[in-house]
Amino acid sequence: MKFDTVIIGGGLAGMACGIRLAEAGRRCAIVSQGQSALHFSSGSFDLLSRLPDGTAVEDPIRGMAELAPVAPEHPYVRIGVERCGDYALQVPEMLRKAGIPVVGDCRKNHYRITPMGKAKATWLTMDAYLRAEEPGRLPFQKVCIVNVEGFLDFYPEFIAEEFRAYGVTSRFGSVNFPDLEKIRQNPSEMRSANIARVFDHERNLEALAVRIREVAADSEAVILPAILGIDRNDAFETLRKKVDMPLYLLPTLPPSIPGIKAQQALQARFRALGGEYFLGDSVLSADLENDRVKRVYTANHGDMPFEADSFVLATGSFFSKGLLASPDRIVEPVFDVDTLFTPDRSEWYTLHFFDKQNYQAFGVVTDASLRLFKEGRLIENLYGAGAGLAGFYPVQEGCGAGVSLLSAFYVADTILNSK
Ligand SMILES: Cc1cc2nc3c(=O)[nH]c(=O)nc-3n(C[C@H](O)[C@H](O)[C@H](O)COP(=O)(O)OP(=O)(O)OC[C@H]3O[C@@H](n4cnc5c(N)ncnc54)[C@H](O)[C@@H]3O)c2cc1C
């Protein structure tokens, strides 16, 4: 099989890169093993929330300008602040065209609300989700937090406790219907995706609206866990109209409905543009000739390799097995390209879970165009994008999605300009 570009990994980075290339008319394939970090997403996309020393960032683009002296390997430094700013303006449009409406501004972080009710700085938040311009300023004073009986991945009491600190009074409501009873018979089935399927049925959405109106009569707004619209896109909007009062979703513990929806929407957009998406397949090995990748071999296609002019490694970090830790080094398993890590294993992590963990900044080594190296030699047509890149701390710096999206755009443009 012959393509212009083969992208390995179909998470946020792989799909953003594939969509940009396909929009420009390139023949692309994405080969992706399975779940990506999106399946665990909060429904918000972070660009830059803190500098490496922990200083809070209000304006992500201005914050990027401070990275070069303290984090020279950071992907934003590689891409360049001006270009990052341009890409950050283009991302919302790319997401909207895929059917993922988002709100946010790359020059001013807003705050998303976590499943535990905490306010966290972020860049873009999906439309229906609760957000605040300032950490302590929610758009209501009296709210009703509604949960499904027996749903354990959402914590109204913790959320109410956090809201109290912002001067917001919360009351609680619960819902239960015969169709929910069916999945409750097995408590392990009470997960957000299964509950969302129940509310994909109009009669249950109607019953939910009636119940919300009962329990929230004297509240200014209603909060629901993200349990709407796994197979239908209009579930939230339909419910909002039926309830006829301000309604917001909050993310739950995984699986993440907003993340699953985003994954499906990006995949559909890529396919609609003519891209070929090979889901459930994994790239196992590659042939290199004269410092170029000629072809890659996958688990499902055996001796039918994927050939292309350029290849993009977007296999993620440790979470997606794009990087592996051997006893003495960090390994990238497909091409065995060069990786950046500290040689002393005792420095890879600390036992304090919330500390800055060095391993998070380990990743593949790149040149200024995000091309990869093997045994010190540049591979001319192999690019890296996304969470597997070296030089940044996605959790501490709050820049995970931003690095994936902006590096994907940058690699796509480099490929487009290289012909
Ligand atoms: C649990 C979790 C939750 C997160 N939540 C957020 C959030 O809410 N907001 C935010 O801004 N950031 C979040 N992040 C940061 C996250 O890294 C980025 O947001 C981003 O989604 C990462 O996308 P990616 O495409 O670079 O990598 P991934 O999402 O990891 O995707 C890599 C893909 O490559 C596939 N793959 C791996 N090896 C192969 C192979 N050999 N062949 C074929 N396919 C392969 C994997 O199956 C996977 O689908 C989160 C990270 C994690 C780990």
Side-chain angles (χ1 to χ4, degrees):
M1 280 177 285
K2 177 87 176 77
F3 298 90
D4 294 327
T5 302
V6 169
I7 298 165
I8 306 157
L12 189 59
M15 284 190 294
C17 187
I19 287 171
R20 199 162 174 98
L21 287 169
E23 276 174 342
R26 294 299 164 92
R27 202 169 166 248
C28 286
I30 296 179
V31 182
S32 196
Q33 206 161 273
Q35 276 198 337
S36 75
L38 269 181
H39 288 89
F40 299 78
S41 154
S42 59
S44 291
F45 301 91
D46 303 339
L47 187 56
L48 186 65
S49 307
R50 280 170 303 281
L51 295 177
D53 67 1
T55 307
V57 168
E58 269 188 37
D59 174 343
I61 305 301
R62 183 179 286 185
M64 286 174 192
E66 297 182 37
L67 290 175
V70 288
E73 310 289 344
H74 202 295
Y76 291 155
V77 176
R78 286 266 195 267
I79 297 168
V81 178
E82 199 176 324
R83 213 180 267 116
C84 283
D86 287 346
Y87 291 154
L89 289 173
Q90 295 169 32
V91 164
E93 185 59 11
M94 186 275 286
L95 294 174
R96 268 191 285 272
K97 278 187 181 161
I100 309 166
V102 288
V103 189
D105 180 352
C106 65
R107 299 310 306 241
K108 189 178 185 317
N109 278 325
H110 65 265
Y111 293 82
R112 67 176 172 94
I113 310 299
T114 71
M116 304 303 275
K118 302 251 184 234
K120 279 205 151 183
T122 192
W123 167 36
L124 300 172
T125 293
M126 291 187 202
D127 235 3
Y129 288 76
L130 180 61
R131 55 196 282 276
E133 287 310 318
E134 306 297 331
R137 270 217 341 252
L138 293 173
F140 42 70
Q141 298 277 293
K142 277 169 78 178
V143 73
C144 182
I145 307 174
V146 178
N147 197 13
V148 169
E149 269 181 36
F151 179 46
L152 300 177
D153 294 337
F154 186 69
Y155 307 104
E157 287 82 5
F158 284 116
I159 295 163
E161 184 65 32
E162 293 294 333
F163 283 6
R164 197 167 302 133
Y166 308 150
V168 170
T169 314
S170 308
R171 59 176 299 171
F172 305 113
S174 65
V175 293
N176 192 16
F177 317 122
D179 282 358
L180 288 167
E181 286 291 353
K182 281 184 209 152
I183 51 174
R184 191 174 299 103
Q185 282 164 10
N186 180 351
S188 64
E189 295 291 306
M190 280 299 279
R191 312 310 297 266
S192 53
N194 293 336
I195 298 172
R197 273 186 199 100
V198 169
F199 291 121
D200 277 344
H201 294 287
E202 193 63 30
R203 67 171 185 279
N204 290 329
L205 211 53
E206 179 59 38
L208 177 61
V210 170
R211 180 70 182 143
I212 288 176
R213 283 199 301 267
E214 273 168 24
V215 294
D218 62 349
S219 300
E220 290 165 38
V222 176
I223 285 179
L224 268 184
I227 46 162
L228 290 178
I230 186 100
D231 290 324
R232 59 184 272 190
N233 291 330
D234 67 339
F236 175 78
E237 199 43 39
T238 306
L239 182 68
R240 202 185 55 74
K241 283 192 188 129
K242 286 179 193 286
V243 168
D244 197 23
M245 62 191 293
L247 178 67
Y248 303 97
L249 298 176
L250 273 192
T252 66
L253 295 189
S256 153
I257 299 289
I260 294 171
K261 296 289 293 180
Q263 177 87 30
Q264 288 170 347
L266 290 167
Q267 219 168 293
R269 171 81 178 142
F270 175 67
R271 283 192 162 127
L273 289 164
E276 292 198 43
Y277 195 94
F278 296 85
L279 182 62
D281 200 359
S282 49
V283 174
L284 302 177
S285 62
D287 287 341
L288 273 76
E289 288 168 20
N290 302 324
D291 297 326
R292 293 181 72 82
V293 179
K294 296 305 275 187
R295 58 194 77 83
V296 295
Y297 298 88
T298 76
N300 293 354
H301 289 82
D303 57 4
M304 266 175 57
F306 289 60
E307 294 181 22
D309 298 329
S310 53
F311 294 80
V312 180
L313 184 74
T315 47
S317 184
F318 300 99
F319 181 76
S320 293
K321 300 195 169 62
L323 298 174
L324 303 175
S326 79
D328 58 347
R329 69 185 188 106
I330 300 301
V331 179
E332 181 287 300
V334 176
F335 300 95
D336 197 14
V337 289
D338 298 349
T339 55
L340 187 77
F341 59 95
T342 49
D344 182 353
R345 203 178 204 280
S346 69
E347 292 176 6
W348 288 8
Y349 62 93
T350 79
L351 292 176
H352 299 283
F353 185 73
F354 291 107
D355 282 359
K356 197 168 185 172
Q357 302 287 350
N358 285 340
Y359 75 85
Q360 287 198 346
F362 297 169
V364 295
V365 178
T366 67
D367 74 350
S369 304
L370 298 187
R371 285 181 299 177
L372 308 181
F373 294 85
K374 189 173 167 75
E375 293 165 3
R377 293 176 69 91
L378 182 70
I379 310 176
E380 286 167 14
N381 64 341
L382 177 62
Y383 299 82
L389 295 172
F392 71 106
Y393 292 83
V395 178
Q396 274 75 19
E397 293 166 3
C399 63
V403 165
S404 291
L405 287 160
L406 273 45
S407 62
F409 277 19
Y410 180 56
V411 162
D413 283 1
T414 309
I415 291 171
L416 291 170
N417 292 332
S418 69
K419 276 221 154 180

